[in-house]
Amino acid sequence: MIAALDATPLTIPTGGVTRYTLELSRALAAQNIADQYWLLSDQLFGMPAPVLPNLHKGDGPRTGAERRWWLWGLEREMIRRGVEVFHGTDFSVPYIPRRPSVMTVHDLSPWVLEDASMRVRRRVPLLLWARIPTMIITPSEAVRRAAISRFKLDEERAAAVPLAASNHFRPVEAEPPATPYFLFVGTLESRKNIARLIAAWREVRKSQEVDLVLAGRLRDNFTPPADEPGLRVLGAVPDEDLPALYSGAIAFVYPSLYEGFGLPVLEAMQCGATVITSRDPAIMEVSGGAAIHVEATDVRALIEVMRARPVRREDSLKRAALFSWSRTAQKTREVYDVAIGLFRR
């Protein structure tokens, strides 16, 4: 098989979709050595490391006409590379279905949240209603069911393929921090429920000496929290530094209002961290009962759990062991085969 993946998410240094595109393309190539995989975008991006002989970087637009990438340029590049199936890793596929395509719908946030991308919100429903993507991939069964209901999709054309944490997320032994801390990792945005998390931590800090560490890039339309004693806002943290942060925390606290999967929850578990999180359906799929769940809007419940400082290290490690990018790649490759079969009907 010759497959192409949208590499545009790789133009952004951090984030869940970036991680997804990076890990998936690398795992697909490593696991299917007879296949050829092309990463394509009209923007500059870096290739995943290590270098794999069957994972290639395509060209961007070669002519002025090809700058109309999704209408014309991408198709010309796929013809040049002999691509049989295209995977849109972030809500995008070519507008004209000349070959089978797979669209990953990471969540339904563009349609349930007010601050979501207007471009995605308007374009994707038209593509789905017109059945332009041959298959849909979602990261959880919760999102799959929601997408089928909202966009009236055929069930056979939607598959749930769970994500995984990168291999470098593992327990790190280190000296205890000078001050114990709760940890949040993720994009700082309204749906992550940062304000309630900070409010709960403030109450806990009245009786316990404990910091709150927020690690993640700040979304443009989100106002950062004001400086206060014990609150550490680190910004985007390099991937290689995250395992130590996860491992050293009293607990990873992730009271998100809405998720498509909740990858930081799995990363934290793979590092042996106790996870305190919301009852979001996708997150509950990921945790499998290994995390401690509270209602996202119940600050009092969050305070009580944080004060208790529960320990779930072994539960976290056992649950995380059930996920891997090799399994994600295997299931994704199966979806490519299904898409090719459906397109030929």
Side-chain angles (χ1 to χ4, degrees):
M1 178 186 291
I2 304 176
L5 290 84
D6 178 21
T8 306
L10 299 181
T11 63
I12 301 172
T14 63
V17 182
T18 301
R19 180 77 54 78
Y20 172 71
T21 306
L22 175 73
E23 294 286 356
L24 177 62
S25 60
R26 188 160 52 193
L28 281 167
Q31 193 165 304
N32 304 286
I33 58 176
D35 292 348
Q36 300 296 317
Y37 295 94
W38 287 88
L39 287 169
L40 306 180
S41 178
D42 59 342
Q43 303 174 47
L44 297 176
F45 65 92
M47 285 291 287
V51 175
L52 295 170
N54 60 335
L55 182 59
H56 313 284
K57 185 175 185 178
D59 292 336
R62 295 186 181 184
T63 66
E66 289 187 7
R67 293 188 182 279
R68 302 181 68 182
W69 185 248
W70 290 102
L71 186 63
W72 180 244
L74 176 58
E75 173 62 24
R76 294 298 302 168
E77 179 64 5
M78 288 195 288
I79 290 173
R80 289 191 285 262
R81 308 303 182 183
V83 170
E84 299 168 75
V85 59
F86 177 81
H87 184 174
T89 55
D90 189 19
F91 292 101
S92 295
V93 294
Y95 302 146
I96 301 174
R98 295 187 175 95
R99 62 178 50 73
S101 65
V102 176
M103 175 192 286
T104 295
V105 176
H106 295 280
D107 54 47
L108 265 62
S109 62
W111 302 279
V112 300
L113 302 176
E114 294 181 356
D115 61 350
S117 167
M118 186 60 68
R119 176 182 59 87
V120 172
R121 182 185 298 176
R122 290 175 175 172
R123 185 194 66 231
V124 171
L126 297 177
L127 295 174
L128 294 178
W129 289 328
R131 295 188 176 184
I132 300 301
T134 316
M135 284 289 295
I136 303 298
I137 284 178
T138 65
S140 63
E141 184 61 28
V143 175
R144 176 181 177 271
R145 290 194 301 267
I148 289 172
S149 175
R150 186 175 191 98
F151 301 114
K152 310 301 184 222
L153 304 176
D154 295 335
E155 292 203 11
E156 69 172 355
R157 293 178 179 267
V161 180
L163 311 185
S166 302
N167 290 334
H168 75 278
F169 287 101
R170 57 177 64 90
V172 173
E173 300 296 333
E175 290 293 324
T179 303
Y181 63 92
F182 293 107
L183 175 67
F184 169 89
V185 175
T187 304
L188 301 187
E189 56 183 327
S190 58
R191 72 170 163 135
K192 303 301 184 182
N193 212 11
I194 303 297
R196 288 190 179 95
L197 171 57
I198 293 174
W201 161 74
R202 285 196 192 108
E203 287 299 312
V204 175
R205 197 168 190 267
K206 289 178 180 179
S207 59
Q208 301 179 17
E209 185 180 7
V210 60
D211 289 351
L212 176 60
V213 176
L214 307 178
R217 65 184 176 89
L218 181 70
R219 188 162 178 171
D220 292 340
N221 59 356
F222 184 75
T223 303
D227 292 339
E228 62 181 283
L231 179 61
R232 292 187 273 155
V233 182
L234 305 183
V237 174
D239 279 357
E240 59 268 23
D241 295 339
L242 285 174
L245 269 179
Y246 282 128
S247 300
I250 296 170
F252 175 68
V253 190
Y254 197 76
S256 179
L257 295 166
Y258 178 77
E259 292 293 323
F261 184 79
L263 188 55
V265 168
L266 190 56
E267 292 174 351
M269 286 185 166
Q270 197 162 293
C271 293
T274 295
V275 173
I276 302 169
T277 185
S278 67
R279 296 186 183 278
D280 174 82
I283 295 178
M284 294 187 76
E285 278 187 49
V286 173
S287 77
I292 299 162
H293 295 275
V294 299
E295 292 297 336
T297 57
D298 192 342
V299 177
R300 179 51 54 186
L302 187 56
I303 291 168
E304 291 175 0
V305 174
M306 291 171 72
R307 276 180 177 158
R309 298 195 182 189
V311 177
R312 292 284 185 91
R313 175 184 172 84
E314 295 306 318
D315 291 342
S316 289
L317 291 171
K318 287 178 182 178
R319 180 60 180 172
L322 301 178
F323 298 81
S324 72
W325 278 109
S326 63
R327 292 189 186 96
T328 303
Q330 177 185 346
K331 290 182 177 297
T332 301
R333 179 62 168 75
E334 291 170 0
V335 173
Y336 293 173
D337 283 331
V338 172
I340 290 172
L342 288 172
F343 191 81
R344 289 172 177 170
R345 283 186 183 179

